[in-house]
Amino acid sequence: MGLDRREVSRWEAAKYKLFSSDAEDLQKAFEKNGIAFLPAAGTQGAGVRWLRPGQKDRFRGAQFRAARAMANQSMRDLQEISGVNRNFVTRLETGQIGGLNLETLKKLEQAFARLNIELTVESESWGAGVRWTVPDPFSQPAASEPQ
C-alpha cells in the first residue's frame, strides 16, 4: 500500500487521524488480503472476519490478536483482565506455541466478552473473526465496568 510502518502505528495508537482516502486504501488492502469488514447490524456492532473459511490459525492466535487490537488493549492490559501471562499471549499471537490448555483460551475469551468483543467462529461460507457485541461500543461502558 505504500504506507510507512510508523505512520500505521501512530494511527493504531490514535496519535492522529486517518485521512478518508488513506482509510479507504487501508480497507482495500485488507480486503485484497482476504479480510471482510462487517457493519453494525441490529444488536451487534461492527467487526472483521476472514472472507473464506480454512485460514491456517490452529490456535486462533490471529483471532486473539485482532480482538486485542479491537479492544485497544496492550499485552499487559490483557494479562491484568484475563489472568493469562502476557508472554503466553505473545507466543499465541505470533504462532510460536506448540499446545495449550483450553482453560487458558477460555480465560482470554471471557476477558474479551467483558470488553464487549465476540470471537466469531468459522462457518462453511466464511472464516473466523471478531466483532463488537454492542452496536456502539464507544457510547457504553464495557461489561466489566460499573453502569
Side-chain angles (χ1 to χ4, degrees), residues 36-53:
F37 287 79
L38 308 172
T43 60
Q44 292 186 310
V48 294
R49 70 173 178 221
W50 292 107
L51 282 170
R52 295 183 186 82

Side-chain angles (χ1 to χ4, degrees), residues 24 29 76 82 85 91 93 103 107 135:
E24 289 172 12
R76 185 168 301 196
S82 70
N85 184 286
R91 290 192 318 273
E93 290 183 2
E103 288 301 314
K107 287 180 182 180

Side-chain angles (χ1 to χ4, degrees), residues 48-55 120-129:
V48 294
R49 70 173 178 221
W50 292 107
L51 282 170
R52 295 183 186 82
Q55 297 295 322
T120 61
V121 296
E122 183 175 289
S123 76
E124 289 183 18
S125 304
W126 59 76

Side-chain angles (χ1 to χ4, degrees), residues 10 13 19 32 37 40 45 47-48 61-62 77 87-88 97 112 117-118:
R10 287 190 294 267
F19 291 113
K32 184 178 176 183
F37 287 79
V48 294
D77 295 334
N87 293 325
F88 172 83
I97 194 157
F112 286 119
I117 294 177
E118 173 187 24

Side-chain angles (χ1 to χ4, degrees), residues 1 18-28:
M1 209 181 110
L18 188 63
F19 291 113
S20 296
S21 60
D22 289 336
E24 289 172 12
D25 290 345
L26 194 56
Q27 182 171 343
K28 286 177 187 174

